[in-house]
Amino acid sequence: MSDQNVRNAGFTSSGISGRSLASSMMSHEARSSGGGVHSGGPTSTLQEMGARGTTHSSGFTSSGISSGSRASHMMSEEARSHGGGTPRGSTTSTVQSI
């Protein structure tokens, strides 16, 4: 994942850009969870990366998820909680796709 992709999606150091993929994700996530965006979810994870201005240490790369990384840990936790797979639309799959 590149820093530019995260910024282009609307996750920036000054917050989520209006009328962006980020704002759409935030709105959808808030509606589906009853009004809030949960810590550790796709929106908050990507915004954290955008606020820091770097994705390099996260483990989400263009060639897949790096072994032993934060991304690898996230994927493993999600797979365990969903019976062995990482579901489409999950935090890991959403962040990896961006």
Side-chain angles (χ1 to χ4, degrees):
M1 172 186 346
S2 76
D3 295 337
Q4 189 61 47
N5 287 352
V6 172
R7 284 190 298 276
N8 288 346
F11 299 99
T12 72
S13 59
S14 57
I16 291 178
S17 301
R19 299 176 195 220
S20 65
L21 173 61
S23 66
S24 176
M25 283 178 62
M26 182 175 69
S27 175
H28 176 74
E29 194 174 333
R31 279 194 309 272
S32 67
S33 68
V37 176
H38 298 289
S39 177
T43 302
S44 65
T45 300
L46 285 161
Q47 182 52 39
E48 178 186 342
M49 292 175 186
R52 280 186 306 187
T54 185
T55 61
H56 298 296
S57 63
S58 65
F60 294 98
T61 73
S62 60
S63 58
I65 292 177
S66 300
S67 177
S69 66
R70 176 179 178 204
S72 173
H73 178 73
M74 288 172 63
M75 184 174 69
S76 178
E77 290 294 316
E78 280 184 345
R80 270 194 290 270
S81 70
H82 289 92
T86 303
R88 184 174 185 212
S90 69
T91 300
T92 303
S93 64
T94 301
V95 174
Q96 180 60 31
S97 71
I98 290 176

